[in-house]
Each structure stands twice: as structure tokens, then as C-alpha cells.
Amino acid sequence: MADVAAAAGVSTALVSIVFRDVPGASEATRERVRRAAAEIGYIPDRHAQKLRQARSGLIGVTFELQQPFHGDLVERLYPAVVAQGWDLVLSGVAPTRDEQTAVDALVRERCEAVILLGSRLSTIELDDLARRVPVQVVARASGTDAVGSVRMDDAQGIALAVDHLAGLGHRRIVYIDGAGAPGNADRVSGFRRRTAELGLDGRVMVGGATESDGVAAMTAILDADDAATAVMAFNDRVAIGVLDVLVRRGIAVPEDISVMGYDDSRLSRLAHIGLTTVAQDTDLLAGEVVAQVVRQLAGGEPAEIVLAPRLVVRRTTGTAPNPNRPV
């Protein structure tokens, strides 16, 4: 600030007034100070400023770097947080950086609350974190009254998908599950319940949350000469892995087999993919979780918010082929 003051021909106290945006300087002086700062490349250190304050004004978010749906959510969280007068701090989760490390980094940054996207922390770990800072999880139930959650009704979402396929005449449907991924249990139970209610032949196959999991599962389905006419995947990434196998095997989608994803991530909307999927409304999820965080910071109790998903029909689903014809 002393360098800026010298360049602008004012005192360091006046530079401080300008960058704190408080009364005490004319607009002409403010413009001169800002111009001098730009010329010498000075940027105010907001982090250092917050260290001098009792509150940081920061909300932290953990997200999985390899999940496109998480990227879509983060994009919508930014305007939702800023609209409430807060700043967002991100901490990525990756194969080389576990979720607890990502959370600890946010706590060290003095975040006043944390939002965990698709958290894999146990109930005990969430309870421990909630004793230090208000916590909200997104896309799963928290399993504890100490932690709030905002999620879509996964059982309803899966039922929408099953109903769509049943309406197209599909009777033999395979669901590739998400293994240990958040939300998997609700989606599996919803699939089993709805296929049983409709009298369909529904089978659950162990999968995962990535394209390679979809490739492995679909390869096993085809190698077993399974008679399924439709495949549902835990998420869009798994569904894209399924599509990759079908393309390489020369199997037509949806003429020979229909494929469905879950999330409505940006990948599913690409024209050459056109994936039928179940949409989780990122605008709604972001708005609700930020509202819950702000309410908690004001002294409110954590709550569980369950939102309704919707079906998005694109080109990867169609009328079932002859049921006597194997895939």
C-alpha cells in the first residue's frame, strides 16, 4: 500500500480507505488510487483482510474433480452464494486427495460453513465435523440430525426411468448400480420396488460411478448373452461407458437396446450423445443448500430437504425390440 500511496501521491491511510471502500475519499482520489494500483500491479489481499475480522465471510465446498455433475453444481453455487453476500472457497476431492483432506483445508481457511457435494464421509465423521462448523451435504441423506441435507428423491427418479422404459415395451431391464457411491442404496431399492410393482424382469448389476465401470458392466452383460432390452446406469458417466461398448460392438441404440443415465450432466446433453436421463436440477439444489446454510449460520437447525427430479427424454431410448431376440 505504501508503493500505491507513493505512486498516487497520497497517504497510505487514504489508500486503505479506498480499498476498504469506506467513506473518507473523493471519487477523483479513489480513481487515482485505483489507477496507480493497476499500473504497479497491486491487488488487495482479501484473505489477509478477513484474518483481521471476527468473521471470514466464507462458505467452503468440497466436490469430486472427476464428476461432471459436481462441476455443474459448483457453477450454480457461485451466484447463489454471492447473492447472499458470501464468498465461496473450493476444495477438490480426487484419487490423490481424499475428502477428509479437502474438508480440513476448508476448516483451516476459516470457512464459517461447509457444503459437501456427494460426500462419502460416514455419519460419525459428519457428526465430528458438525461440532466444528455448520455442515450441509448435497445428493445424499446425512444420516444425522446434526447435519443438514439437500437431495433429489432418488427412488422417485428411478421410478420415472422405469416407467419410461416400461411404457416403451421393455420387460427385461438391467440396472448398473453405483457400488458405494452416495445415493446408490436409494436408487437400487427404488429400481427393485418399481420393477416388481410393474411385473418387470429387473436385475441389478454391480457397477460404479465412472465410464470404466460402465464399460466393464456392459461388456459382462453382452458376454453373458443377456436378453435385456434396456440398461439403466447409476449416473451419466456410467451410461456413457455403456454407450462406448455398444458402439464398438456395432449394436444400435436405441433400436437394439435402450440406455438411460442419471443426473442430466452437461455430457448427456451433447448432440452426439443425446442421453435419456433423470435430471437433478442444479439451480434448485444450489439455491436450496445455500438457503439452508445461511439459515444455519443465523442460528437455525439443520434440515433435510428432498426435491423432485424429472425425466429428460433424448435419443438413447426407444421402443423395445422383439423380446425373443437376444441382444
Side-chain angles (χ1 to χ4, degrees):
M1 287 202 303
D3 292 338
V4 174
V10 299
S11 67
T12 54
L14 197 52
V15 171
S16 176
I17 286 172
V18 171
F19 283 116
R20 286 186 293 118
D21 198 23
V22 296
S26 68
E27 189 54 42
T29 299
R30 292 177 189 276
E31 178 58 29
R32 187 164 74 252
V33 169
R34 294 190 190 104
R35 187 166 55 249
E39 288 172 354
I40 67 173
Y42 172 74
I43 299 173
D45 188 342
R46 302 298 183 194
H47 183 69
Q49 292 171 0
K50 290 179 183 298
L51 288 175
R52 295 194 296 269
Q53 301 170 359
R55 303 187 66 171
S56 71
L58 302 175
I59 294 174
V61 176
T62 63
F63 69 106
E64 294 191 16
L65 293 171
Q66 296 184 344
Q67 287 294 346
F69 178 64
H70 287 191
D72 293 347
L73 259 175
V74 167
E75 182 180 343
R76 304 318 308 157
L77 281 170
Y78 268 111
V81 166
V82 171
Q84 295 286 346
W86 295 76
D87 288 328
L88 202 63
V89 177
L90 302 181
S91 190
V93 179
T96 55
R97 190 174 194 251
D98 64 28
E99 187 177 2
Q100 190 60 61
T101 299
V103 169
D104 290 342
L106 295 176
V107 173
R108 288 195 301 272
E109 289 290 327
R110 298 175 63 238
C111 290
E112 296 188 46
V114 294
I115 299 170
L116 312 179
L117 305 187
S119 176
R120 297 173 188 259
L121 295 182
S122 68
T123 302
I124 293 174
E125 290 169 323
L126 289 173
D127 270 329
D128 179 63
L129 179 59
R131 282 190 283 270
R132 294 185 284 167
V133 65
V135 183
Q136 288 279 331
V137 295
V138 179
R140 61 162 278 193
S142 70
T144 169
D145 292 339
V147 175
S149 68
V150 178
R151 61 185 176 89
M152 291 292 175
D153 187 334
D154 283 327
Q156 180 187 355
I158 288 295
L160 289 173
V162 172
D163 288 350
H164 170 65
L165 293 172
L168 293 171
H170 294 277
R171 308 295 300 174
R172 170 68 167 165
I173 305 170
V174 174
Y175 178 67
I176 302 172
D177 77 5
N184 181 61
D186 285 343
R187 296 182 196 182
V188 169
S189 62
F191 175 80
R192 286 180 169 147
R193 180 168 56 251
R194 191 56 179 157
T195 51
E197 290 170 349
L198 296 178
L200 304 178
D201 184 359
R203 181 164 65 90
V204 176
M205 186 171 190
V206 175
T210 68
E211 293 86 354
S212 60
D213 294 317
V215 168
M218 193 67 231
T219 299
I221 291 170
L222 295 176
D223 289 349
D225 199 24
D226 196 296
T229 62
V231 173
M232 294 169 54
F234 169 74
N235 64 15
D236 294 343
R237 291 185 66 191
V238 174
I240 288 169
V242 168
L243 292 173
D244 178 68
V245 173
L246 295 174
V247 168
R248 287 188 284 109
R249 296 272 187 117
I251 298 172
V253 177
E255 291 80 7
D256 295 329
I257 190 167
S258 288
V259 178
M260 289 198 67
Y262 202 104
D263 285 342
D264 192 32
S265 64
R266 64 187 66 191
L267 291 175
S268 69
R269 304 169 207 154
L270 295 175
H272 71 285
I273 295 176
L275 182 67
T276 296
T277 186
V278 176
Q280 302 197 72
D281 191 320
T282 53
D283 282 312
L284 191 56
L285 284 167
E288 286 288 348
V289 74
V290 171
Q292 290 301 310
V293 165
V294 171
R295 190 174 63 81
Q296 271 191 269
L297 288 167
E301 292 297 318
E304 180 179 30
I305 306 296
V306 182
L307 306 171
R310 62 185 175 85
L311 180 69
V312 179
V313 179
R314 297 193 179 98
R315 68 179 186 85
T316 60
T317 52
T319 304
N322 187 329
N324 297 318
R325 173 190 171 193
V327 173

